[in-house]
Amino acid sequence: MTMTTETPLRLQVRRITANDNAAIAQVIREVSAECGLTADKGYTVSDPNLDHLFDVYSQPRCAYWVVELDGQVVGGGGVAPLEGADVSLCELQKMYFLPVLRGKGLAKQLAIQAMDFARENDFSQCYLETTASLTAAIALYEKLGFSHITEALGSTRHVDCEVRMLREL
């Protein structure tokens, strides 16, 4: 009889660095393709800054965290001021996770971390946009206290994100 022992996976959530740009952009592209979220529809995958997220989230009142599994970037999410909106309104942004991470509570952990950061940076409300096909994400946001709203806020340019949600911080 042979016994095998599984080595525990090394999981780390940390702030994005410039060296993470290509890896997290690839994660976002892979997950977008898996979910049918194409660049021509105005989803995150079409953002001109997708390959430069470190620069974007190095700005004041912005933060982005990547999730590493055994040294590989496999997910991430962040928060930033909502463009074109009141200074008290932030947006939960670019929450993408490869299948290996899903169902482990990391999206919840990251969203809570982002909202804590937002509160610490004087935001009073958090907004997000997503699409109806991402039912697990919507269920998570509802559990976290986000409410559905009918009108888009700010100017995200994500024209096909028909699900809009808002939460008091």
Side-chain angles (χ1 to χ4, degrees):
M1 176 176 167
T2 60
M3 293 183 65
T4 60
T5 57
E6 284 189 40
T7 56
L9 298 175
R10 267 196 44 228
L11 192 64
Q12 180 182 13
V13 178
R14 60 173 176 74
R15 291 288 288 265
I16 192 171
T17 68
N19 292 334
D20 298 318
N21 280 336
I24 193 61
Q26 183 58 34
V27 167
I28 292 170
R29 287 184 176 102
E30 283 181 39
V31 174
S32 294
E34 172 193 346
C35 297
L37 308 177
T38 58
D40 64 318
K41 300 280 187 178
Y43 295 111
T44 294
V45 72
S46 69
D47 284 357
N49 57 15
L50 185 59
D51 292 304
H52 309 283
L53 293 184
F54 172 74
D55 297 334
V56 172
Y57 291 98
S58 294
Q59 301 304 309
R61 301 177 79 206
C62 298
Y64 195 88
W65 297 269
V66 294
V67 181
E68 274 188 356
L69 181 63
D70 291 334
Q72 299 283 89
V73 173
V74 291
V79 66
L82 178 59
E83 188 177 326
D86 183 271
V87 297
S88 66
L89 189 57
C90 68
E91 182 183 17
L92 188 62
Q93 301 176 335
K94 295 174 181 58
M95 298 277 292
Y96 288 85
F97 300 89
L98 291 177
V100 67
L101 282 186
R102 295 181 199 151
K104 298 182 182 351
L106 288 163
K108 178 181 178 181
Q109 175 188 331
L110 230 159
I112 290 169
Q113 190 168 323
M115 289 186 291
D116 288 345
F117 174 89
R119 264 186 230 93
E120 293 164 8
N121 283 272
D122 299 319
F123 291 105
S124 60
Q125 292 182 305
C126 187
Y127 174 74
L128 66 85
E129 293 178 340
T130 190
T131 186
S133 64
L134 301 179
T135 56
I138 293 168
L140 169 64
Y141 299 139
E142 289 170 344
K143 285 180 187 170
L144 289 172
F146 282 86
S147 299
H148 292 264
I149 60 173
T150 56
E151 296 297 317
L153 302 178
S155 53
T156 65
R157 295 175 298 285
H158 297 150
V159 295
D160 284 346
C161 288
E162 74 283 8
V163 176
R164 300 160 187 118
M165 303 177 86
L166 187 65
R167 181 187 192 279
E168 296 292 323
L169 296 173

